Amino acid sequence: MFSLVIIHILGVTVAVILALIEIESIIPTGICLVAYSLIVALLAYRRNRATCLYYALAAPSVSVACFSVIFGLHWGPNDARIPIGCSLALFGLVNIPFGIAALFELKQPESGSRRKGPFQYSIASIMGLTLVVALSLSLSKTLGNRGIALAILLCHLSLTAYILRRFHKKEWPATGN
């Protein structure tokens, strides 16, 4: 896991440098970085590493935000070069200390593996999913491309909030039979 985070830090740094040189490089590097970040996030979730989980979820969040802005505002490469480039440069600078914090967390001994009950959906979760889908569809129907961009942001934020809520859920109580 330690080497995966180091590779992630280097990947973000390289992707940001490439984006500053040629903004269109964010398409392939963004897709690769999001896929890699999700793998790191899954491993951090399973190993109960909060800082690593937050760190790994940052790259997909920035990618979704950049995509939504570019798509929603109908930007071309020339329009996106400066604002997206500056945003990515800032993310690249902030990424390094958070990556180092994730590495420090990995140096700590693992606390006892917290058992998180079976992965089940509650009725509240299903109702929340229904609300997110209904809002997303209505946004895309009424606002066109800008609505689609907002719907993507809403779905991403909802999914991230759900993952973090599940991660920080306390242990399931033991059943005494």
Side-chain angles (χ1 to χ4, degrees):
M1 184 91 184
F2 192 83
S3 50
L4 292 177
V5 174
I6 290 175
I7 291 169
H8 192 275
I9 294 170
L10 294 174
V12 168
T13 305
V14 168
V16 167
I17 291 170
L18 288 174
L20 293 174
I21 293 170
E22 181 59 46
I23 194 67
E24 292 176 353
S25 70
I26 64 174
I27 295 169
T29 58
I31 292 169
C32 293
L33 196 57
V34 165
Y36 188 78
S37 296
L38 293 176
I39 292 168
V40 174
L42 177 66
L43 292 173
Y45 183 90
R46 294 178 73 68
R47 293 194 176 149
N48 209 21
R49 299 296 188 156
T51 307
C52 289
L53 177 65
Y54 293 144
Y55 172 72
L57 290 175
S61 297
V62 169
S63 295
V64 167
C66 288
F67 170 79
S68 295
V69 167
I70 291 169
F71 185 76
L73 297 176
H74 304 288
W75 281 356
N78 289 333
D79 300 322
R81 180 168 282 114
I82 292 175
I84 298 297
C86 290
S87 300
L88 292 176
L90 179 63
F91 172 67
L93 290 174
V94 171
N95 179 65
I96 294 170
F98 282 109
I100 292 170
L103 291 173
F104 276 123
E105 181 188 45
L106 291 172
K107 285 289 190 183
Q108 303 300 320
E110 262 189 71
S111 59
S113 178
R114 185 172 61 166
R115 179 156 162 63
K116 299 180 179 0
F119 194 80
Q120 296 176 342
Y121 295 102
S122 66
I123 291 179
S125 298
I126 294 171
M127 295 305 290
L129 175 65
T130 305
L131 175 66
V132 169
V133 169
L135 286 173
S136 298
L137 291 174
S138 65
L139 282 171
S140 61
K141 180 80 170 165
T142 57
L143 299 177
N145 283 349
R146 290 185 179 170
I148 292 171
L150 288 172
I152 290 169
L153 278 173
L154 176 66
C155 290
H156 174 72
L157 290 173
S158 300
L159 180 62
T160 302
Y162 182 76
I163 290 168
L164 294 177
R165 183 173 164 258
R166 281 229 14 114
F167 180 79
H168 290 290
K169 191 172 192 167
K170 300 287 183 214
E171 278 187 34
W172 291 89
T175 57
N177 287 338

